[in-house]
Amino acid sequence: MLSPYLILFFLFIAMPVFIAIGLSFTYFNTVQTPKFINIQNYITLLTRDDVFMQKVLPNTIKYALIVGPGGYILSFILAWLLAQLTRVPRTIFALIIYSPSLTSGVTMAVVWSVLFNGDQNGYLNSLLMRMNLIEKPIQWLQSPDYLMTIMIIISLWSSMGVGFLAMLAGILNISDELYEAAYIDGIRNRVQEIIYITIPSMKPQMLFGAVMSLVNTFNSSGIGVALTGSNPTPQYAGQLITNHIEDFGFIRYEMGYAAAVSTVLLLIIYLASKVAWKLFRDD
Amino acid sequence: MARFTTGTNPRHFHRSQIKFYVILTPISLFMILPIIFIISHALKPLDELFLYPPRFFVRKPSLDNFIELFAATKSSAIPLSRYLLNSIVSTALVIFFTIWVSVFAGYVLSKKDFNGKNLIFSLNNLALMFVPTAVTIPRYLIIDKVGLIDNMLVNVLPIVAMPVGVFLVKQFIDQIPNAMIDAAWIDGANDFQIVKNVIIPMVKPALSTVGILAFQMAWNSTEASTLYLNNDNLKTFAFYMTTLTSSTGNTVAGQGMAAAASLILFIPNLVLFIIMQSRVMNTMAYSGIK
């Protein structure tokens, strides 16, 4: 009964990971058989890939650090605020806040690219020009100065996903007695209440939320390419590791090298999840 | 509640809750703005789409964009309905199989004892963090090897194994007392009958959550169409939408059609979630990792 799941799991989730690790030690152009070249790809990655070191890696770190923890903290705060309301308004607000993650960020790129359109017909440009804040339209999406910020805003906007729902449910399921006991023990303000009661009582949901926010961060990273319509993004301004992988794998057909980059990405995600696990496991 | 006038999960409205409304209202407005925008934009007639200065809300709503969208695809080799049909069929299959596969896996992982059970569950937990884009290339190679390139099933099979789904269902089944399952055994039920008659009715909330997540993943997915399908007849609606925006770009006719298409893509997500939301919230309370 477990076998259908196991077969699909190994075929499409576990095996790709092993193959990626294997391929990362080869030169592979999709036509000829992979040629074993030891750790050459990793050496190239570390020493010769300037784009990776100077643009992609800093971009990814910046993006992940803001969108990951940022989205996570935001979803906890929003969930907590919602929990202070009565049932009906809470449900309505929760629906609204969850609704952006119902669509994938990439499909929403249509809407965002209209809002941030680079000519005077763009909504943001038009608004700023009417308020006399700018004189001529800004190329929001093609300009390296703004692209990253816009990507971060959109990703945060769509980051209230499953983790947010779990946290909301977690907060609502803490029993009243716990709070009562805390008031008797002398908890004086809301911050104390949250730190000593709310968060410790919902550690499992907090961990689940952390993991989900991590996944969301890396899954939403196609947004830069979707917004600008090109890979690489203009001057690599919004280039993230996943875009770099697609660039080498599917545009330049250097699969071995792309696999090495994938392995590095998997390692980063694994380490990040270890940190999340350490922080929130109660033992 | 001793100290604070507003506690968690209050039963009645109290003045002290107003401050939370004050904070939440602008945030929700920001969250819902793009959603309102897709709806409003999709209904804009051509002259309003390119009005200067641009207007956020539609003045004279019309269905021109939808009509144009259907008309435009009629002249091309593949009608829009074909993409929609592909999306609907593959999404339905994904939902069905994901639920089926997850409930069996959850049952076995929760109620059976065997070697390697813990290993499988911890592998599954590790795979919660799986990012498909990181291993696009090996996935492509595997799909090529098993002969799924240009096969309708490639829209379905690669996303059926959903670690989050198995995880949530297993946590739910853990709550069902073993005595119930033993009782069913004694009455002569086999594993399939137990799952069908005992487990599934009891874990319905978790299954609707899995269904919603599977729906979102399948309905919005463009990966299979972009990478594994060369035959346009098999590609999905979400993929078609991305081609609308990239190939027609900012051209006059393209924008209205793209807006209409993104609305068609978005609405089912919203409707389904609204219908299922109470069950989903219920499931999430059990999402703890134990």
Side-chain angles (χ1 to χ4, degrees):
Chain A
M1 290 172 93
L2 192 59
S3 49
Y5 180 70
L6 280 185
I7 292 168
L8 292 171
F9 180 85
F10 278 103
L11 205 54
F12 296 113
I13 296 178
M15 279 246 289
V17 174
F18 293 123
I19 295 179
I21 296 170
L23 275 182
S24 70
F25 297 105
T26 63
Y27 172 81
F28 183 34
N29 57 11
T30 70
V31 183
Q32 292 150 309
T33 33
K35 199 169 80 210
F36 182 73
I37 53 166
N38 219 330
I39 57 167
Q40 193 55 48
N41 283 326
Y42 292 95
I43 295 171
T44 312
L45 183 66
L46 290 175
T47 56
R48 255 184 277 145
D49 190 342
D50 290 341
V51 170
F52 183 76
M53 279 301 170
Q54 285 167 14
K55 301 278 183 182
V56 176
L57 202 56
N59 278 349
T60 308
I61 291 172
K62 184 179 166 197
Y63 177 86
L65 280 183
I66 299 177
V67 174
Y72 180 61
I73 292 165
L74 211 60
S75 49
F76 176 74
I77 294 175
L78 286 174
W80 186 84
L81 288 170
L82 284 175
Q84 313 302 311
L85 302 180
T86 44
R87 192 183 163 85
V88 174
R90 182 175 68 226
T91 312
I92 296 169
F93 276 121
L95 262 176
I96 293 176
I97 291 173
Y98 182 73
S99 63
S101 41
L102 284 172
T103 97
S104 67
V106 178
T107 49
M108 282 298 286
V110 185
V111 174
W112 292 104
S113 51
V114 178
L115 293 178
F116 289 110
N117 204 343
D119 58 34
Q120 56 184 15
N121 269 324
Y123 284 71
L124 191 60
N125 275 334
S126 165
L127 185 75
L128 291 176
M129 276 160 75
R130 259 187 292 171
M131 286 160 65
N132 283 323
L133 288 172
I134 54 170
E135 285 193 352
K136 54 175 201 263
I138 296 174
Q139 290 286 331
W140 297 107
L141 299 174
Q142 301 303 323
S143 134
D145 301 337
Y146 301 107
L147 183 60
M148 189 53 145
T149 315
I150 293 172
M151 284 165 59
I152 289 174
I153 292 172
I154 298 177
S155 307
L156 281 178
W157 171 78
S158 64
S159 65
M160 303 304 129
V162 183
F164 161 76
L165 295 179
M167 285 199 248
L168 181 56
I171 297 175
L172 293 174
N173 274 297
I174 300 169
S175 76
D176 282 351
E177 283 94 50
L178 262 174
Y179 287 109
E180 297 283 356
Y183 302 136
I184 293 165
D185 286 348
I187 280 197
R188 279 187 308 282
N189 55 41
R190 290 243 185 239
V191 179
Q192 283 186 340
E193 182 192 285
I194 293 172
I195 291 175
Y196 293 114
I197 309 295
T198 311
I199 294 179
S201 329
M202 49 175 288
K203 270 198 167 180
Q205 281 85 14
M206 296 288 279
L207 173 60
F208 183 71
V211 173
M212 286 297 117
S213 122
L214 199 70
V215 175
N216 178 59
T217 306
F218 287 98
N219 279 337
S220 65
S221 56
I223 188 78
V225 171
L227 279 175
T228 56
S230 64
N231 186 2
T233 51
Q235 294 180 42
Y236 291 100
Q239 202 77 355
L240 303 175
I241 292 192
T242 44
N243 309 131
H244 202 59
I245 296 170
E246 281 162 12
D247 183 9
F248 275 93
F250 289 101
I251 297 171
R252 306 184 203 201
Y253 291 108
E254 293 188 30
M255 293 283 185
Y257 188 69
V261 183
S262 309
T263 309
V264 171
L265 174 61
L266 288 169
L267 205 65
I268 294 174
I269 298 171
Y270 177 71
L271 291 176
S273 74
K274 273 270 178 251
V275 173
W277 227 262
K278 272 249 157 57
L279 283 174
F280 294 104
R281 231 219 336 238
D282 42 1
D283 50 7
Chain B
M1 289 281 119
R3 273 186 183 266
F4 302 118
T5 39
T6 303
T8 302
N9 197 4
R11 278 183 197 85
H12 307 286
F13 179 76
H14 185 275
R15 246 181 322 128
S16 63
Q17 290 168 20
I18 290 175
K19 54 179 179 287
F20 297 113
Y21 284 96
V22 172
I23 305 170
L24 282 168
T25 310
I27 296 175
S28 342
L29 279 180
F30 173 71
M31 300 299 251
I32 206 172
L33 221 54
I35 311 277
I36 294 176
F37 182 77
I38 337 178
I39 299 171
S40 161
H41 207 63
L43 296 174
K44 280 178 188 163
L46 211 56
D47 52 332
E48 272 191 66
L49 274 175
F50 294 96
L51 207 62
Y52 183 81
R55 215 182 275 135
F56 194 84
F57 291 103
V58 57
R59 277 277 171 81
K60 292 183 300 247
S62 82
L63 291 175
D64 288 357
N65 292 328
F66 295 90
I67 296 165
E68 207 176 322
L69 178 64
F70 281 93
T73 53
K74 224 170 245 152
S75 56
S76 74
I78 294 142
L80 182 69
S81 50
R82 175 76 213 194
Y83 292 111
L84 269 175
L85 184 75
N86 287 344
S87 274
I88 293 168
V89 170
S90 56
T91 304
L93 289 174
V94 170
I95 294 174
F96 176 77
F97 284 116
T98 307
I99 290 178
W100 191 74
V101 160
S102 306
V103 78
F104 280 121
Y107 171 66
V108 173
L109 287 174
S110 174
K111 296 297 179 200
K112 299 273 168 178
D113 275 316
F114 58 94
N115 280 340
K117 178 173 123 170
N118 290 332
L119 178 74
I120 291 173
F121 191 57
S122 36
L123 271 181
N124 187 70
N125 284 352
L126 202 64
L128 278 179
M129 289 154 288
F130 179 75
V131 178
T133 31
V135 288
T136 328
I137 295 135
R139 263 188 151 192
Y140 178 84
L141 297 177
I142 290 176
I143 284 165
D144 190 28
K145 273 268 147 47
V146 279
L148 282 175
I149 296 287
D150 272 336
N151 186 325
M152 182 69 188
L153 285 175
V154 83
N155 282 321
V156 179
L157 286 181
I159 46 181
V160 162
M162 191 166 70
V164 189
V166 171
F167 173 78
L168 289 173
V169 175
K170 189 225 169 222
Q171 298 301 97
F172 239 74
I173 297 179
D174 280 346
Q175 323 275 328
I176 299 175
N178 286 331
M180 260 186 101
I181 288 155
D182 294 340
W185 263 117
I186 292 163
D187 288 345
N190 62 29
D191 278 328
F192 285 94
Q193 285 164 330
I194 290 176
V195 169
K196 191 168 153 262
N197 300 323
V198 182
I199 305 284
I200 289 181
M202 292 190 78
V203 297
K204 269 198 177 142
L207 296 183
S208 16
T209 307
V210 174
I212 292 240
L213 294 176
F215 171 83
Q216 274 182 46
M217 201 150 54
W219 183 252
N220 294 327
S221 137
T222 54
E223 193 191 295
S225 302
T226 324
L227 299 175
Y228 315 131
L229 294 169
N230 303 314
N231 183 347
D232 278 330
N233 270 314
L234 300 173
K235 295 186 176 186
T236 58
F237 183 66
F239 169 81
Y240 175 68
M241 221 211 71
T242 56
T243 61
L244 264 186
T245 46
S246 58
S247 61
T248 46
N250 280 331
T251 58
V252 179
Q255 227 185 63
M257 289 196 297
S262 58
L263 185 63
I264 300 180
L265 194 63
F266 174 68
I267 292 292
N269 282 299
L270 189 67
V271 172
L272 197 68
F273 185 75
I274 289 176
I275 298 171
M276 296 294 201
Q277 57 87 19
S278 64
R279 282 181 172 185
V280 172
M281 302 266 200
N282 194 354
T283 315
M284 289 307 165
Y286 296 96
S287 62
I289 296 175
K290 284 174 188 157

